[in-house]
Amino acid sequence: MFPAFEKYRIDILGAFTLVILTLATGISVYVVMQKQVESVLSESLKASLQKDVHFTERQIHHAIIEAQVASSHPSVIQNLQLFISKPGNATGRVELQGLAKSLLAANFRGLSIYDASGHEVARAGHFSQRHDLRAPLKTKDRAFLLWDGEFLLQISKDVLDQQGHRVGMVMTEAHLYYLTLTFKNVASVGKTGEFAVCAPLAGDEKNMDCFLGRVSGKDFQRIARVIEGKPLPMNYALNGGTGVILAKDYRRQQVVAAYAPVGLLGLGMVLKVDRAELFHPTIKPLKFIAPLLAALVLMGILLLHFLVRPLVRKLVDSERATRAANTLLHAAQADLRQFKNTLDQTLDCVFMFDSDTLLFTYVNKGAIQQVGYSQTDLMQMTALDIKPEFTLERFQQMLQPLIEDVLPSLTFQTVYRHKDGHDIPVEIFLQLVRLEDQAPRFVAMVTDITARQQAEVKLQRAHDELEIFAATDALTGCANRREFEARGRAEVARVKRSGAPLSFVTIDLDHFKQINDRHGHRAGDEVLRAFVTLLKRTLRPIDWVGRIGGEEFALFLPDTPLEGAVIVAERLRQLIESEVVTLAGTHLWFTASLGVAQYGPDGDTYESVIEAADSRMYRAKQAGRNQVIAR
C-alpha cells in the first residue's frame, strides 16, 4: 500500500528512534545538571549566609559587651559623680577625657561620655557624621547599625551608680569589619549576586529599611516586605525563619535566595543570585552541544541508511558523551567546594581537627602565621601540641558538652605555644561541625588577644593611680577631706564594736593668712608641707592625718584616750612652735591652735566628735592661740 514507506521503513524508524533518544538524553542531562547545580549552589549560599550571620552576631554582641564594660567602669561612675557634684571642676573633665582615651583603645572607633543632663563631657576617637541608613537593633540598649563607607555599630549605654541611679551615658561606635567585608565582596557570589541586611520599621509591618550590596555598587532603600501578594525572602528572615527559597525579589526577578535572622537583634540577612545566572553554566554549553547533536543525528541517519552497525557504534558514543557530561557536572561541584574553601581563607585564623584523634585536618594561612609551624608540620600534630597547659583528660572534658549537643559553641581564653617557644594569649571560639558522610570535626576560630590584655593592664594601672590621686591632698601628700572622713567613719565603726578608745584632734595654723600676704603663697605652701612632714615624723604609723580646709587639719589617734591625746597634742604644739621654715634666706615661724575630743564622752558619731574637737580648737584661737583645749 505504501511501497516507499516499506522501502525506507528501517531508515525512518531508526532515524525517528535516534532523534527521540538523542533529544531525550540531551534534555535529561540538561535537567539533571540544572537540578544538581541548583542544589549545590543553594547549599553553598545557605552555608555562606549562616557563617556571615554567625560572625556578624558574634561581632555585634562583642561590641555590646565592650560598651557595657565601658559604661560600668568604676572610674567612669566615680568621675561622673564628681563632675555632677562640682560642675565647674576642670579636674573631673580632664579625668573623664583620659578615661575616654584609655577605653577607646579596646575595640572602639569612637567613645563619648555624657553627664546626666545629656551634655558631652569627654570624647575620644571620632563618630560618623553622615550615614546613608540607620537601622535600630532589638536590644535593651539604644543600638543602631549604620553605614558610612563601612558598617558601624553605635551603642548608647546609661551609666548607673551603686544605687542604680542614672549619672550619665556612654556612647560608643565600633567597626563591624566582617560584615563590611561580606557586604563589599558580594562579587564572589556571582555577577547578579546581592547581599542584603534589613531591619523592620517601628510601627510599620509592611516595609523595611535595607542595606543592599551588589557587584555594581551599594544601595540603601526602603522596600515593601510583600510584593504582588507574596512575601520576599527577607520577610521570612525578619520573622525568624532560616532556609533557601526560589522566589521573586523586590525587582520582581526570579532568584535563588538564602535567608536567616541575625539572632534576636531584629535584623535579617539574605544572600541571593538571579536564577538566570544560576543556570547560565548549563545554558552556555548548549550553543556548542546543540549543533553537535544535530550533526550526530544527521550522520546517524546517513549511516543508518547504509549500515546498522555504525548506528550501534553511534549509540555507544552517545553513552560515552553522557558519561562525559556527568564528569563535567562533578567538576562543577568540585569548583563550588573550592569556592567555599576560598571563603574560609578570609577568616583571620582557623584550625579544624578530628573529634576523636584531635589531629588537625585543616589549617588556613592565618593559623600557620600565628603558631610559626609549616602546614606539613601542623597536619601531623594534634590540638594539644600547641596548648601546653592542657592535658588530654582536661581537653576531652571541655569538649564533651559540644559532642553531646549541650552547648552550641564554646568560647574560652588560653595560650598557644609558638614554634620558637614563646606563648601567645588567644581567645578561641569552638564549634563541632557534622558533615554528611564524614566524621564530626571541631572548628576553632582563634583571635590573638595580646593587645587587649596589654590595654587591660594599662587600664588597671591607671585606675589604681586615679584611686590614689582621688584620696590624697595634692599639696601636702596627706589624706584629703573626703578620704579622711571615710577613714574616720570606718575607725568609729571599728571602736564601736571593740570598745577601744579613739580620739580626734583638729589643728588650725595661727595667722596663716599673714604668711601668704607678707611672703607669698609659695611660702605658705612650704609652711603647709613642712607642717605635715612634722606631723608624719612625730605620729605613729596607725595615726591618720587629713587636710580638711586651707590651713585646717585633723588627726585621729586609735587606741588613745583623751588624756593621751592631750599629751600628743601638746607635744605637737611645742614642736610646731619651734619649727623654722627657711625660704630664699627668710626664716618663718608659725604656731597652731588645737582642739581635742574623744569618741564616746564627746559624741557617738564621727560628725559629733569632729564638731566637738573643732569647737575646742576655735576656743583655743579665741583664748589667744598657740594652745590646746580638750574640755
Side-chain angles (χ1 to χ4, degrees):
M1 185 176 182
F2 299 100
F5 176 80
E6 292 295 334
K7 181 178 180 180
Y8 298 100
R9 179 180 179 182
I10 296 178
D11 293 342
I12 294 172
L13 293 177
F16 181 79
T17 303
L18 180 60
V19 170
I20 294 300
L21 290 175
T22 303
L23 289 175
T25 302
I27 292 172
S28 298
V29 171
Y30 178 75
V31 171
V32 170
M33 289 178 66
Q34 278 192 331
K35 293 296 183 182
Q36 289 289 337
V37 169
E38 181 180 354
S39 174
V40 172
L41 184 57
S42 296
E43 290 300 317
S44 176
L45 287 174
K46 182 179 178 181
S48 180
L49 183 65
Q50 286 177 343
K51 183 183 65 178
D52 295 338
V53 167
H54 170 75
F55 283 105
T56 297
E57 183 182 5
R58 181 173 176 237
Q59 197 169 28
I60 289 175
H61 281 304
H62 180 73
I64 292 174
I65 291 172
E66 292 292 341
Q68 173 67 34
V69 171
S71 66
S72 61
H73 196 283
S75 295
V76 173
I77 299 172
Q78 183 179 8
N79 281 283
L80 273 174
Q81 291 173 324
L82 177 62
F83 185 83
I84 293 171
S85 63
K86 297 181 178 180
N89 183 5
T91 301
R93 184 182 292 273
V94 170
E95 293 298 328
L96 287 169
Q97 183 63 37
L99 278 170
K101 291 181 179 180
S102 176
L103 293 171
L104 180 70
N107 286 304
F108 302 121
R109 177 177 184 258
L111 185 146
S112 287
I113 301 176
Y114 297 81
D115 62 16
S117 300
H119 297 108
E120 184 178 64
V121 295
R123 171 179 285 214
H126 59 278
F127 289 81
S128 170
Q129 300 300 318
R130 179 188 64 83
H131 45 265
D132 299 285
L133 191 61
R134 174 187 174 100
L137 272 63
K138 287 185 178 179
T139 63
K140 62 180 180 181
D141 307 306
R142 298 178 294 281
F144 297 90
L145 183 66
L146 312 176
W147 176 270
D148 187 5
E150 62 176 325
F151 276 108
L152 304 170
L153 184 65
Q154 188 181 95
I155 303 171
S156 298
K157 188 77 178 178
D158 287 339
V159 179
L160 306 178
D161 61 15
Q162 291 81 357
Q163 288 75 36
H165 300 142
R166 183 177 182 272
V167 298
M169 182 183 74
V170 171
M171 185 169 72
T172 63
E173 198 167 277
H175 301 278
L176 297 180
Y177 294 112
Y178 186 86
L179 183 57
T180 301
L181 179 63
T182 303
F183 193 70
K184 292 182 177 180
N185 288 349
V186 70
S188 59
V189 179
K191 294 181 180 180
T192 61
E194 183 176 275
F195 177 79
V197 180
C198 297
L201 298 179
D204 185 355
E205 297 180 357
K206 295 183 178 181
N207 297 290
M208 55 189 172
D209 281 335
C210 294
F211 303 81
L212 305 175
R214 311 187 188 97
V215 177
S216 58
K218 60 184 181 297
D219 194 8
F220 309 93
Q221 295 185 23
R222 179 160 292 178
I223 299 172
R225 296 173 63 166
V226 178
I227 294 179
E228 297 178 351
K230 294 184 179 180
L232 296 183
M234 183 62 76
N235 186 66
Y236 295 110
L238 294 178
N239 289 332
T242 300
V244 182
I245 190 173
L246 179 64
K248 287 185 179 181
D249 66 357
Y250 62 95
R251 303 168 303 155
R252 294 172 174 79
Q253 295 291 326
Q254 283 286 344
V255 296
V256 177
Y259 58 90
V262 184
L264 301 177
L265 298 174
L267 296 177
M269 280 189 182
V270 167
L271 184 62
K272 63 186 179 67
V273 65
D274 285 1
R275 192 169 184 266
E277 184 182 3
L278 173 67
F279 296 132
H280 181 71
T282 59
I283 295 173
K284 187 176 180 180
L286 289 179
K287 297 179 181 179
F288 306 96
I289 295 175
L292 177 61
L293 290 177
L296 289 175
V297 171
L298 180 60
M299 186 179 297
I301 293 173
L302 293 174
L303 293 177
L304 183 61
H305 180 70
F306 299 100
L307 193 62
V308 176
R309 187 174 297 173
L311 175 60
V312 176
R313 189 177 297 114
K314 282 298 177 182
L315 290 174
V316 173
D317 291 341
S318 178
E319 183 181 358
R320 291 175 179 174
T322 302
R323 287 199 299 268
N326 287 330
T327 301
L328 289 175
L329 179 60
H330 292 310
Q333 292 174 331
D335 290 340
L336 286 173
R337 286 194 296 271
Q338 181 63 33
F339 170 72
K340 293 166 68 176
N341 291 336
T342 302
L343 287 180
D344 291 340
Q345 292 177 1
T346 62
L347 299 175
D348 183 30
C349 181
V350 178
F351 293 92
M352 184 179 291
F353 56 91
D354 184 85
S355 60
D356 294 328
T357 64
L358 304 185
L359 284 168
F360 288 123
T361 59
Y362 168 79
V363 293
N364 71 343
K365 292 182 180 179
I368 295 170
Q369 293 174 357
Q370 187 178 81
V371 297
Y373 291 96
S374 67
Q375 184 174 17
T376 302
D377 292 337
L378 286 171
M379 297 308 288
Q380 299 175 359
M381 299 167 63
T382 70
L384 291 175
D385 292 331
I386 58 174
K387 291 197 282 290
E389 82 282 10
F390 279 14
T391 62
L392 178 60
E393 293 76 12
R394 179 187 172 190
F395 198 45
Q396 289 177 336
Q397 185 179 9
M398 180 182 292
L399 299 178
Q400 199 61 33
L402 298 180
I403 296 174
E404 296 176 354
D405 288 332
V406 176
L407 293 175
S409 62
L410 187 65
T411 302
F412 60 94
Q413 293 184 2
T414 181
V415 294
Y416 270 177
R417 179 64 53 81
H418 193 274
K419 184 179 180 180
D420 62 13
H422 77 275
D423 289 338
I424 307 168
V426 295
E427 183 177 80
I428 300 178
F429 178 80
L430 196 63
Q431 277 191 317
L432 182 63
V433 178
R434 292 181 170 88
L435 302 174
E436 294 183 1
D437 302 327
Q438 295 186 29
R441 297 178 183 178
F442 284 101
V443 177
M445 286 152 282
V446 184
T447 303
D448 188 334
I449 59 172
T450 303
R452 188 201 305 175
Q453 289 187 349
Q454 292 173 348
E456 289 173 352
V457 171
K458 290 181 180 178
L459 188 62
Q460 184 60 46
R461 189 180 298 120
H463 174 70
D464 294 342
E465 292 175 355
L466 283 173
E467 285 187 342
I468 295 173
F469 178 78
T472 305
D473 177 60
L475 176 64
T476 63
C478 67
N480 59 21
R481 183 187 186 98
R482 183 177 61 181
E483 181 67 11
F484 182 82
E485 289 179 353
R487 296 282 183 175
R489 289 190 178 90
E491 190 64 20
V492 166
R494 184 187 70 83
V495 301
K496 185 178 293 186
R497 295 190 301 269
S498 66
L502 171 66
S503 295
F504 285 80
V505 180
T506 57
I507 308 172
D508 186 86
L509 299 186
D510 298 330
H511 303 297
F512 184 75
K513 185 175 183 301
Q514 296 179 7
I515 295 176
N516 282 330
D517 293 343
R518 293 177 182 176
H519 305 285
H521 288 283
R522 181 184 173 191
D525 291 345
E526 289 298 325
V527 168
L528 293 176
R529 280 193 283 265
F531 169 70
V532 171
T533 301
L534 182 150
L535 292 180
K536 290 182 176 180
R537 187 174 64 242
T538 305
L539 297 174
R540 302 169 299 174
I542 63 173
D543 300 330
W544 269 82
V545 182
R547 183 183 181 188
I548 59 177
E551 65 272 16
E552 296 183 20
F553 294 82
L555 318 174
F556 67 77
L557 309 174
D559 302 326
T560 305
L562 185 66
E563 295 76 8
V566 170
I567 295 173
V568 173
E570 180 60 29
R571 183 168 70 250
L572 288 174
R573 186 197 65 77
Q574 295 174 9
L575 290 172
I576 294 168
E577 185 179 28
S578 61
E579 181 76 8
V580 180
V581 177
T582 302
L583 182 65
T586 301
H587 302 296
L588 303 176
W589 288 268
F590 58 97
T591 61
S593 300
L594 298 89
V596 184
Q598 181 181 351
Y599 170 76
D602 295 318
D604 58 356
T605 65
Y606 167 81
E607 288 79 4
S608 60
V609 180
I610 280 290
E611 184 178 353
D614 210 36
S615 174
R616 293 167 185 176
M617 181 266 290
Y618 279 107
R619 285 170 48 203
K621 294 180 74 69
Q622 293 170 357
R625 295 183 171 83
N626 192 23
Q627 56 185 289
V628 178
I629 292 183
R631 297 292 182 185

